[in-house]
Structure formats: structure tokens, C-alpha cells
Amino acid sequence: MPLRYVDPHKKRGRGYAIAAAFGRSSVGQFVARHVARHTDPLLFRITRGRISVSPIVKAPLVTTGAKSGGRREVQLTYFHDRDDVVLVASNFGGTRNPQWYHNLKANPECEFGGEPFTASEVTDPDEHARLYALAERVYPGYRDYRAATAQGRRIPVFRLTPR
């Protein structure tokens, strides 16, 4: 099944807004961190991406472990910028980058949604700002994460280019 195209410019409906508001709540954050991260990969495989605990569109990122060299999988929110996929390494606004960030830096060849990609971190400040603004359109919770990390770290953005 091809990776579902997520247009960051698309107007989203009332149901999406309600789901995003829930996702930004303390209960929603708990579900995302402790329930969905375990159930979404299984649901993605079983339903071929049609059902998820989270209403925000996600797909599995498969990386090679930076230290272990082993296969690592995590379910991530994403959107498209033309043919490229964009990922935000927010780690729920935490003080550290997520583990998959380090995996992509060490081994940029990856799979996302079952398709092969090459990852590159967006380092240009203007491009980073443009893509992060689009990410906030896809999931408003990224605003919360940016505010939470304003004094500690700049949240990385990755561009995945099809191989």
C-alpha cells in the first residue's frame, strides 16, 4: 500500500480539530507516549495504515540503530513537501532529541511507510522555519513542543527523499 499523501495546506475538519485538541491535552499526551506508541505499529500492519489510536496520520519509520546496528521502528506523524516526506524530531517537547534522530544522523538510509528514503536534516534556518510552520498546520501540538524547547534545543526537522 503506497504511503498516504499528507498535504499540510489542506483544510482539516472539525473532527480533526477535536482530535488534535485531545492530543495536546495531558490525557492525550499520556495516550500518545504510553499506549499509541505500542499499539499503532501493530494496527498499521494489520489494517495497512487505515486504523490508528491517533487520528493524526502516522506511518512507521524503520531505521538502523546508531549504536546497535539493529532494526528500529517507530510510528511518526509526517507530511509531504512535494515528493519528499517531512518528519519533526520533537520528542513531545522533551529536552533531548528522540532516538530515531540519532539513528538517521548515523544511517540516513531508511524506510518510511514501507518505502525507501534517504534522510537529511534541514539545517537552513529559513527552510527549517518554513517546514516547521507547515508542521504546525498538520498538528498544532508542535507549537506546544516549540514553546517547551525554546530555551533548550531547536527541534530538528528531517526531509526524506525517495530513493
Side-chain angles (χ1 to χ4, degrees):
M1 178 176 177
L3 186 63
R4 182 172 156 196
Y5 190 86
V6 177
D7 183 353
H9 301 288
K10 178 183 172 187
K11 183 168 174 47
R12 286 164 173 75
R14 181 169 164 76
Y16 194 90
I18 292 168
F22 173 74
R24 295 171 75 180
S25 72
S26 58
V27 173
Q29 286 290 294
F30 179 86
V31 169
R33 292 175 196 218
H34 303 290
V35 178
R37 66 179 272 221
H38 299 293
T39 59
D40 276 354
L42 178 62
L43 285 172
F44 188 91
R45 282 192 293 276
I46 291 170
T47 67
R48 297 184 186 196
R50 290 186 299 269
I51 297 175
S52 165
V53 170
S54 170
I56 311 301
V57 178
K58 295 182 178 183
L61 171 68
V62 178
T63 61
T64 301
K67 293 180 183 177
S68 70
R71 182 180 191 274
R72 301 287 180 247
E73 183 175 329
V74 62
Q75 202 82 1
L76 297 175
T77 300
Y78 69 97
F79 64 93
H80 283 85
D81 185 43
R82 296 176 299 276
D83 291 336
D84 294 342
V85 171
V86 178
L87 303 176
V88 178
S90 65
N91 201 19
F92 299 101
T95 58
R96 296 181 181 180
N97 291 325
Q99 189 58 48
W100 64 262
Y101 165 88
H102 302 287
N103 295 346
L104 285 182
K105 292 294 284 184
N107 303 294
E109 302 296 312
C110 63
E111 286 184 14
F112 190 72
E115 298 178 18
F117 288 93
T118 302
S120 60
E121 185 174 358
V122 176
T123 56
D124 177 71
D126 293 336
E127 183 67 356
H128 182 278
R130 182 184 78 80
L131 292 173
Y132 204 94
L134 291 176
E136 290 174 348
R137 292 177 59 112
V138 172
Y139 177 57
Y142 285 127
R143 280 187 211 103
D144 304 335
Y145 303 154
R146 185 190 333 221
T149 61
Q151 300 302 316
R153 71 179 176 103
R154 177 178 162 212
I155 296 174
V157 173
F158 278 89
R159 178 180 295 282
L160 303 184
T161 304
R163 282 191 270 150

